[in-house]
Amino acid sequence: MKDKGAAALLAFFLGIFGIHRFYLRQTGLGILYFFLSVTTISFFLSIIDFIVFLSMDRRTFDEKYNKDYLSDDRYSSYDRPDYRRRERSDRFRREQVRNYRDPEYRREERRRPPEPAPRPAPKPKKKSNPYRRSGIEKYKDYDYEGAINDFKKAIAIDPGDKASHFNIACAYSLNESPDEAFFHLSKAVEHGFVDFDRIRTHDALAFLRIQDEWDGFVKRGYRLQRAEGRKKSQNEASVSNVDLLDQLRQLGELRDKGLLTLEEFEIQKKKILNR
């Protein structure tokens, strides 16, 4: 592999005889320089070659005189992506070292504010429940039965929908159905409804607030006495003097009227049968 410095020295000292051209394997030019050595032309050409070699960068020299040594496919290694990446990284490191040696650059780096932390990815929006919207519209039109049916469908889609539980509790209260109202109001609090001032002042819940169970309901944190029982004390008081068949018949009537869901009916039936 030919060296740029060696070629320049040969051109300066022995270039009149074309030795540098023989060194670079340019035999034809070397012979031409040798025959011209009897004249001053060879001397001036060798001086020009000396200056050209000194001013030529290493890459250009290698591409011109060392192409056979750099790769088997007769292309310069400068054309290889890995060589270019290495050359860029070396140049970047040299630039960084030069910058950090500059005091003004270091002061500017210290004054530079830190980069902001990346923002978290936005949470996907929860799809709105169509039955909740229709239930609210019916509620505003004073169609409480229709609102209750739509709120039940909304809860069937999303059992943890605290807004639907609160709204259906208000509708049941306006329909003077305290059992269902207490049940769904406790479910709303259980699923995260924390606007207790609204519970204490909402006009639709006025009927609940005059019930005997209200004070105990509030003391228990707006929860029923038992998680699976909707109104344990009141049910026991109302059915204590009737026989088993009458109790089951009354539950069946409540279920047929839509005042009890199938799940609530099964819970109350189990309570009666387990006495």
Side-chain angles (χ1 to χ4, degrees):
M1 190 168 179
K2 307 306 178 185
D3 182 71
K4 182 171 76 80
L9 291 176
L10 291 175
F12 183 78
F13 291 106
L14 300 174
I16 191 173
F17 302 109
I19 302 300
H20 63 294
R21 293 298 177 181
F22 289 107
Y23 171 73
L24 297 175
R25 293 192 175 182
Q26 294 178 324
T27 307
L29 286 176
I31 294 174
L32 178 62
Y33 274 60
F34 182 78
F35 283 113
L36 292 176
S37 60
V38 296
T39 65
T40 58
I41 297 175
S42 178
F43 172 76
F44 288 111
L45 289 176
S46 63
I47 295 299
I48 293 174
D49 288 341
F50 170 73
I51 296 173
V52 168
F53 289 151
L54 287 181
S55 60
M56 186 182 299
D57 58 31
R58 177 63 180 274
R59 175 177 177 175
T60 305
F61 183 86
D62 287 343
E63 287 180 345
K64 189 171 183 180
Y65 300 110
N66 287 322
K67 187 177 294 187
D68 294 338
Y69 296 95
L70 294 178
S71 63
D72 295 335
D73 55 0
R74 303 185 65 81
Y75 287 97
S76 172
S77 63
Y78 293 103
D79 296 329
R80 299 178 183 175
D82 57 341
Y83 188 94
R84 292 197 299 271
R85 284 195 298 268
R86 186 166 60 251
E87 185 183 52
R88 286 195 298 268
S89 63
D90 291 342
R91 186 166 58 251
F92 175 77
R93 282 195 296 269
R94 289 194 299 270
E95 183 178 352
Q96 288 295 100
V97 171
R98 184 171 60 254
N99 289 337
Y100 279 107
R101 287 176 179 174
D102 184 4
E104 184 62 30
Y105 181 87
R106 293 199 298 271
R107 285 194 294 270
E108 183 66 27
E109 281 289 310
R110 287 194 293 268
R111 289 194 297 265
R112 185 178 301 174
E115 295 183 0
R119 294 182 178 179
K123 295 182 179 180
K125 294 184 178 179
K126 192 175 182 179
K127 294 183 179 179
S128 59
N129 197 322
Y131 290 109
R132 187 206 296 173
R133 293 198 303 270
S134 61
I136 293 174
E137 292 174 359
K138 292 178 181 179
Y139 180 91
K140 291 179 179 179
D141 292 336
Y142 305 102
D143 181 11
Y144 300 128
E145 290 293 341
I148 288 172
N149 291 331
D150 284 352
F151 288 137
K152 284 182 178 180
K153 294 177 182 178
I155 293 171
I157 295 174
D158 184 7
D161 186 359
K162 58 186 178 183
S164 294
H165 279 293
F166 179 80
N167 292 334
I168 197 173
C170 293
Y172 273 126
S173 178
L174 291 170
N175 267 5
E176 297 186 357
S177 301
D179 305 337
E180 291 79 5
F182 276 119
F183 174 77
H184 286 286
L185 189 56
S186 67
K187 283 293 183 182
V189 174
E190 179 182 337
H191 290 297
F193 190 88
V194 294
D195 193 354
F196 301 120
D197 289 337
R198 190 178 182 189
I199 295 175
R200 289 190 292 267
T201 59
H202 201 290
D203 293 338
L205 299 176
F207 178 76
L208 278 189
R209 292 194 291 270
I210 65 174
Q211 301 300 311
D212 296 336
E213 298 91 339
W214 177 257
D215 292 337
F217 181 73
V218 174
K219 290 179 181 179
R220 290 189 297 271
Y222 302 95
R223 299 179 186 275
L224 295 178
Q225 193 166 1
R226 294 178 58 187
E228 71 278 5
R230 295 173 42 244
K231 53 159 203 156
K232 176 182 175 183
S233 60
Q234 185 173 350
N235 277 352
E236 291 177 351
S238 63
V239 300
S240 59
N241 297 325
V242 295
D243 58 18
L244 184 62
L245 294 178
D246 288 339
Q247 296 177 39
L248 294 176
R249 180 177 55 79
Q250 291 175 4
L251 285 176
E253 291 176 357
L254 292 174
R255 180 196 59 188
D256 295 339
K257 291 179 180 180
L259 298 177
L260 286 177
T261 64
L262 182 60
E263 179 184 0
E264 295 166 348
F265 172 77
E266 293 295 334
I267 292 174
Q268 295 298 332
K269 185 174 71 172
K270 288 180 181 179
K271 287 176 59 178
I272 296 173
L273 294 177
N274 291 334
R275 285 189 175 187

